[in-house]
mmCIF file of all heavy atoms in Angstrom:
data_model
loop_
_atom_site.group_PDB
_atom_site.id
_atom_site.type_symbol
_atom_site.label_atom_id
_atom_site.label_comp_id
_atom_site.label_asym_id
_atom_site.label_seq_id
_atom_site.Cartn_x
_atom_site.Cartn_y
_atom_site.Cartn_z
ATOM 1 N N ARG A 62 9.380 -39.242 -3.267
ATOM 2 C CA ARG A 62 9.186 -38.008 -2.634
ATOM 3 C C ARG A 62 8.249 -38.043 -1.474
ATOM 4 O O ARG A 62 8.389 -37.388 -0.445
ATOM 5 C CB ARG A 62 8.540 -36.922 -3.743
ATOM 6 C CG ARG A 62 9.564 -36.497 -4.766
ATOM 7 C CD ARG A 62 8.879 -35.523 -5.744
ATOM 8 N NE ARG A 62 8.318 -36.194 -6.786
ATOM 9 C CZ ARG A 62 7.483 -35.804 -7.679
ATOM 10 N NH1 ARG A 62 6.847 -34.602 -7.375
ATOM 11 N NH2 ARG A 62 7.149 -36.457 -8.700
ATOM 12 N N LEU A 63 7.152 -38.916 -1.500
ATOM 13 C CA LEU A 63 6.235 -39.097 -0.499
ATOM 14 C C LEU A 63 6.996 -39.679 0.757
ATOM 15 O O LEU A 63 6.659 -39.275 1.881
ATOM 16 C CB LEU A 63 5.146 -39.930 -0.967
ATOM 17 C CG LEU A 63 4.008 -40.362 0.070
ATOM 18 C CD1 LEU A 63 3.327 -39.058 0.658
ATOM 19 C CD2 LEU A 63 2.980 -41.306 -0.488
ATOM 20 N N TYR A 64 7.833 -40.688 0.447
ATOM 21 C CA TYR A 64 8.606 -41.269 1.574
ATOM 22 C C TYR A 64 9.429 -40.160 2.275
ATOM 23 O O TYR A 64 9.428 -40.108 3.492
ATOM 24 C CB TYR A 64 9.635 -42.319 1.067
ATOM 25 C CG TYR A 64 10.654 -42.692 1.963
ATOM 26 C CD1 TYR A 64 10.377 -43.684 2.895
ATOM 27 C CD2 TYR A 64 12.000 -42.201 1.981
ATOM 28 C CE1 TYR A 64 11.381 -44.094 3.874
ATOM 29 C CE2 TYR A 64 12.929 -42.486 2.812
ATOM 30 C CZ TYR A 64 12.581 -43.505 3.794
ATOM 31 O OH TYR A 64 13.573 -43.774 4.703
ATOM 32 N N TRP A 65 10.166 -39.286 1.528
ATOM 33 C CA TRP A 65 10.968 -38.315 2.197
ATOM 34 C C TRP A 65 10.067 -37.250 2.923
ATOM 35 O O TRP A 65 10.526 -36.765 3.918
ATOM 36 C CB TRP A 65 11.914 -37.730 1.214
ATOM 37 C CG TRP A 65 13.184 -38.415 0.944
ATOM 38 C CD1 TRP A 65 13.547 -39.037 -0.313
ATOM 39 C CD2 TRP A 65 14.144 -38.928 1.870
ATOM 40 N NE1 TRP A 65 14.645 -39.683 -0.082
ATOM 41 C CE2 TRP A 65 15.084 -39.634 1.219
ATOM 42 C CE3 TRP A 65 14.344 -38.656 3.219
ATOM 43 C CZ2 TRP A 65 16.246 -40.247 1.845
ATOM 44 C CZ3 TRP A 65 15.448 -39.238 3.863
ATOM 45 C CH2 TRP A 65 16.438 -39.939 3.162
ATOM 46 N N ILE A 66 8.902 -36.874 2.298
ATOM 47 C CA ILE A 66 8.083 -35.941 3.014
ATOM 48 C C ILE A 66 7.538 -36.442 4.358
ATOM 49 O O ILE A 66 7.494 -35.735 5.337
ATOM 50 C CB ILE A 66 6.890 -35.564 2.209
ATOM 51 C CG1 ILE A 66 7.388 -34.525 1.063
ATOM 52 C CG2 ILE A 66 5.772 -34.870 2.878
ATOM 53 C CD1 ILE A 66 7.918 -33.317 1.582
ATOM 54 N N GLU A 67 7.285 -37.748 4.318
ATOM 55 C CA GLU A 67 6.765 -38.371 5.565
ATOM 56 C C GLU A 67 7.922 -38.511 6.594
ATOM 57 O O GLU A 67 7.731 -38.492 7.808
ATOM 58 C CB GLU A 67 6.245 -39.845 5.226
ATOM 59 C CG GLU A 67 4.953 -39.812 4.575
ATOM 60 C CD GLU A 67 4.426 -41.170 4.135
ATOM 61 O OE1 GLU A 67 5.328 -42.081 3.947
ATOM 62 O OE2 GLU A 67 3.179 -41.368 3.982
ATOM 63 N N ARG A 68 9.171 -38.622 6.165
ATOM 64 C CA ARG A 68 10.284 -38.812 6.915
ATOM 65 C C ARG A 68 10.796 -37.390 7.593
ATOM 66 O O ARG A 68 11.447 -37.427 8.603
ATOM 67 C CB ARG A 68 11.427 -39.501 6.250
ATOM 68 C CG ARG A 68 11.393 -41.005 6.077
ATOM 69 C CD ARG A 68 11.485 -41.728 7.521
ATOM 70 N NE ARG A 68 12.745 -41.243 8.313
ATOM 71 C CZ ARG A 68 12.753 -41.359 9.624
ATOM 72 N NH1 ARG A 68 11.802 -41.674 10.417
ATOM 73 N NH2 ARG A 68 13.925 -40.936 10.258
ATOM 74 N N PHE A 69 10.593 -36.359 6.833
ATOM 75 C CA PHE A 69 11.228 -35.145 7.062
ATOM 76 C C PHE A 69 10.974 -34.617 8.429
ATOM 77 O O PHE A 69 11.972 -34.193 9.088
ATOM 78 C CB PHE A 69 10.809 -34.072 6.075
ATOM 79 C CG PHE A 69 11.658 -32.830 5.985
ATOM 80 C CD1 PHE A 69 12.978 -32.992 5.584
ATOM 81 C CD2 PHE A 69 11.182 -31.592 6.443
ATOM 82 C CE1 PHE A 69 13.823 -31.734 5.557
ATOM 83 C CE2 PHE A 69 11.964 -30.421 6.430
ATOM 84 C CZ PHE A 69 13.235 -30.546 6.012
ATOM 85 N N PRO A 70 9.733 -34.610 9.065
ATOM 86 C CA PRO A 70 9.629 -34.161 10.396
ATOM 87 C C PRO A 70 10.353 -34.976 11.402
ATOM 88 O O PRO A 70 10.871 -34.376 12.454
ATOM 89 C CB PRO A 70 8.116 -34.201 10.649
ATOM 90 C CG PRO A 70 7.446 -34.211 9.361
ATOM 91 C CD PRO A 70 8.494 -34.876 8.383
ATOM 92 N N HIS A 71 10.574 -36.211 11.188
ATOM 93 C CA HIS A 71 11.392 -37.108 12.016
ATOM 94 C C HIS A 71 12.756 -36.817 11.949
ATOM 95 O O HIS A 71 13.567 -36.880 12.975
ATOM 96 C CB HIS A 71 10.994 -38.596 11.687
ATOM 97 C CG HIS A 71 9.661 -39.014 11.804
ATOM 98 N ND1 HIS A 71 8.908 -39.212 12.969
ATOM 99 C CD2 HIS A 71 8.738 -39.154 10.799
ATOM 100 C CE1 HIS A 71 7.808 -39.534 12.777
ATOM 101 N NE2 HIS A 71 7.476 -39.510 11.345
ATOM 102 N N LEU A 72 13.277 -36.418 10.659
ATOM 103 C CA LEU A 72 14.663 -36.151 10.583
ATOM 104 C C LEU A 72 15.050 -34.859 11.411
ATOM 105 O O LEU A 72 16.104 -34.803 11.913
ATOM 106 C CB LEU A 72 14.832 -35.911 9.016
ATOM 107 C CG LEU A 72 16.308 -36.091 8.523
ATOM 108 C CD1 LEU A 72 16.293 -36.357 6.998
ATOM 109 C CD2 LEU A 72 17.192 -34.833 8.750
ATOM 110 N N LEU A 73 14.036 -33.905 11.447
ATOM 111 C CA LEU A 73 14.292 -32.773 12.260
ATOM 112 C C LEU A 73 14.523 -33.041 13.712
ATOM 113 O O LEU A 73 15.432 -32.408 14.392
ATOM 114 C CB LEU A 73 13.196 -31.726 12.173
ATOM 115 C CG LEU A 73 12.744 -31.250 10.808
ATOM 116 C CD1 LEU A 73 11.704 -30.005 10.958
ATOM 117 C CD2 LEU A 73 13.981 -30.890 9.973
ATOM 118 N N LEU A 74 13.837 -34.106 14.171
ATOM 119 C CA LEU A 74 14.062 -34.580 15.610
ATOM 120 C C LEU A 74 15.201 -35.409 15.770
ATOM 121 O O LEU A 74 15.958 -35.266 16.751
ATOM 122 C CB LEU A 74 12.728 -35.277 16.024
ATOM 123 C CG LEU A 74 11.453 -34.380 16.034
ATOM 124 C CD1 LEU A 74 10.339 -35.330 16.315
ATOM 125 C CD2 LEU A 74 11.451 -33.227 17.010
ATOM 126 N N GLU A 75 15.474 -36.372 14.842
ATOM 127 C CA GLU A 75 16.490 -37.350 15.045
ATOM 128 C C GLU A 75 17.840 -36.716 14.609
ATOM 129 O O GLU A 75 18.997 -37.199 15.190
ATOM 130 C CB GLU A 75 16.191 -38.620 14.230
ATOM 131 C CG GLU A 75 14.899 -39.302 14.677
ATOM 132 C CD GLU A 75 14.338 -40.269 13.795
ATOM 133 O OE1 GLU A 75 14.994 -40.456 12.723
ATOM 134 O OE2 GLU A 75 13.256 -40.773 14.085
ATOM 135 N N GLN A 76 17.803 -35.972 13.634
ATOM 136 C CA GLN A 76 19.168 -35.271 13.087
ATOM 137 C C GLN A 76 20.209 -36.241 12.765
ATOM 138 O O GLN A 76 21.335 -36.085 13.201
ATOM 139 C CB GLN A 76 19.545 -34.277 14.059
ATOM 140 C CG GLN A 76 18.480 -33.096 14.220
ATOM 141 C CD GLN A 76 18.859 -31.874 14.997
ATOM 142 O OE1 GLN A 76 20.194 -31.812 15.222
ATOM 143 N NE2 GLN A 76 17.994 -31.029 15.340
ATOM 144 N N ASP A 77 19.875 -37.393 12.087
ATOM 145 C CA ASP A 77 20.821 -38.348 11.580
ATOM 146 C C ASP A 77 21.643 -37.799 10.450
ATOM 147 O O ASP A 77 21.149 -37.542 9.374
ATOM 148 C CB ASP A 77 20.153 -39.569 11.256
ATOM 149 C CG ASP A 77 21.122 -40.661 10.810
ATOM 150 O OD1 ASP A 77 22.357 -40.424 10.639
ATOM 151 O OD2 ASP A 77 20.654 -41.818 10.516
ATOM 152 N N PRO A 78 23.029 -37.456 10.596
ATOM 153 C CA PRO A 78 23.713 -36.884 9.402
ATOM 154 C C PRO A 78 23.755 -37.653 8.167
ATOM 155 O O PRO A 78 23.711 -37.307 7.063
ATOM 156 C CB PRO A 78 25.122 -36.710 9.988
ATOM 157 C CG PRO A 78 24.957 -36.634 11.503
ATOM 158 C CD PRO A 78 23.761 -37.592 11.769
ATOM 159 N N ALA A 79 23.725 -39.056 8.451
ATOM 160 C CA ALA A 79 23.795 -39.974 7.298
ATOM 161 C C ALA A 79 22.444 -39.915 6.474
ATOM 162 O O ALA A 79 22.418 -39.868 5.207
ATOM 163 C CB ALA A 79 24.026 -41.450 7.758
ATOM 164 N N GLU A 80 21.406 -39.846 7.192
ATOM 165 C CA GLU A 80 20.115 -39.750 6.441
ATOM 166 C C GLU A 80 19.961 -38.396 5.866
ATOM 167 O O GLU A 80 19.486 -38.373 4.661
ATOM 168 C CB GLU A 80 18.950 -39.911 7.522
ATOM 169 C CG GLU A 80 17.578 -39.979 6.877
ATOM 170 C CD GLU A 80 16.461 -40.357 7.748
ATOM 171 O OE1 GLU A 80 16.607 -39.977 8.932
ATOM 172 O OE2 GLU A 80 15.431 -41.001 7.317
ATOM 173 N N ALA A 81 20.398 -37.354 6.462
ATOM 174 C CA ALA A 81 20.306 -35.977 5.792
ATOM 175 C C ALA A 81 21.140 -35.972 4.570
ATOM 176 O O ALA A 81 20.721 -35.433 3.561
ATOM 177 C CB ALA A 81 20.865 -34.910 6.862
ATOM 178 N N ALA A 82 22.339 -36.644 4.649
ATOM 179 C CA ALA A 82 23.301 -36.672 3.425
ATOM 180 C C ALA A 82 22.630 -37.482 2.292
ATOM 181 O O ALA A 82 22.704 -37.100 1.122
ATOM 182 C CB ALA A 82 24.611 -37.225 3.766
ATOM 183 N N ARG A 83 21.883 -38.496 2.637
ATOM 184 C CA ARG A 83 21.232 -39.385 1.647
ATOM 185 C C ARG A 83 20.122 -38.540 1.022
ATOM 186 O O ARG A 83 19.933 -38.657 -0.233
ATOM 187 C CB ARG A 83 20.732 -40.654 2.286
ATOM 188 C CG ARG A 83 20.103 -41.693 1.320
ATOM 189 C CD ARG A 83 20.077 -43.095 2.015
ATOM 190 N NE ARG A 83 19.166 -43.041 3.111
ATOM 191 C CZ ARG A 83 19.502 -43.257 4.315
ATOM 192 N NH1 ARG A 83 20.846 -43.301 4.778
ATOM 193 N NH2 ARG A 83 18.553 -43.271 5.350
ATOM 194 N N LEU A 84 19.368 -37.824 1.808
ATOM 195 C CA LEU A 84 18.305 -37.097 1.251
ATOM 196 C C LEU A 84 18.942 -35.936 0.303
ATOM 197 O O LEU A 84 18.397 -35.829 -0.809
ATOM 198 C CB LEU A 84 17.452 -36.322 2.301
ATOM 199 C CG LEU A 84 16.570 -35.173 1.975
ATOM 200 C CD1 LEU A 84 15.485 -35.672 1.041
ATOM 201 C CD2 LEU A 84 15.891 -34.608 3.241
ATOM 202 N N ALA A 85 19.858 -35.330 0.707
ATOM 203 C CA ALA A 85 20.453 -34.234 -0.122
ATOM 204 C C ALA A 85 21.013 -34.845 -1.373
ATOM 205 O O ALA A 85 20.886 -34.204 -2.466
ATOM 206 C CB ALA A 85 21.527 -33.486 0.665
ATOM 207 N N GLN A 86 21.606 -35.999 -1.343
ATOM 208 C CA GLN A 86 22.077 -36.621 -2.505
ATOM 209 C C GLN A 86 20.993 -37.001 -3.585
ATOM 210 O O GLN A 86 21.167 -36.730 -4.762
ATOM 211 C CB GLN A 86 22.961 -37.919 -2.117
ATOM 212 C CG GLN A 86 23.572 -38.664 -3.340
ATOM 213 C CD GLN A 86 24.332 -39.882 -2.906
ATOM 214 O OE1 GLN A 86 24.045 -40.519 -1.891
ATOM 215 N NE2 GLN A 86 25.365 -40.210 -3.733
ATOM 216 N N GLU A 87 19.883 -37.421 -3.010
ATOM 217 C CA GLU A 87 18.764 -37.938 -3.891
ATOM 218 C C GLU A 87 18.147 -36.781 -4.578
ATOM 219 O O GLU A 87 17.618 -36.902 -5.781
ATOM 220 C CB GLU A 87 17.764 -38.819 -3.019
ATOM 221 C CG GLU A 87 18.272 -40.104 -2.640
ATOM 222 C CD GLU A 87 17.138 -41.028 -2.195
ATOM 223 O OE1 GLU A 87 15.956 -40.846 -2.589
ATOM 224 O OE2 GLU A 87 17.412 -41.895 -1.266
ATOM 225 N N ILE A 88 18.122 -35.589 -3.924
ATOM 226 C CA ILE A 88 17.297 -34.507 -4.488
ATOM 227 C C ILE A 88 18.187 -33.379 -5.166
ATOM 228 O O ILE A 88 17.626 -32.529 -5.837
ATOM 229 C CB ILE A 88 16.388 -33.870 -3.517
ATOM 230 C CG1 ILE A 88 17.240 -33.147 -2.420
ATOM 231 C CG2 ILE A 88 15.421 -34.798 -3.008
ATOM 232 C CD1 ILE A 88 16.254 -32.290 -1.444
ATOM 233 N N SER A 89 19.530 -33.632 -5.043
ATOM 234 C CA SER A 89 20.457 -32.780 -5.679
ATOM 235 C C SER A 89 20.295 -32.741 -7.256
ATOM 236 O O SER A 89 20.065 -33.917 -7.854
ATOM 237 C CB SER A 89 21.909 -33.016 -5.286
ATOM 238 O OG SER A 89 22.312 -34.259 -5.902
#
Side-chain angles (χ1 to χ4, degrees):
R62 283 179 271 159
L63 181 59
Y64 167 81
W65 279 117
I66 285 296
E67 290 175 333
R68 280 295 305 157
F69 195 66
H71 302 285
L72 204 159
L73 303 193
L74 298 173
E75 297 163 6
Q76 301 191 9
D77 180 355
E80 186 175 28
R83 188 162 62 251
L84 167 59
Q86 182 180 28
E87 287 194 28
I88 64 174
S89 65

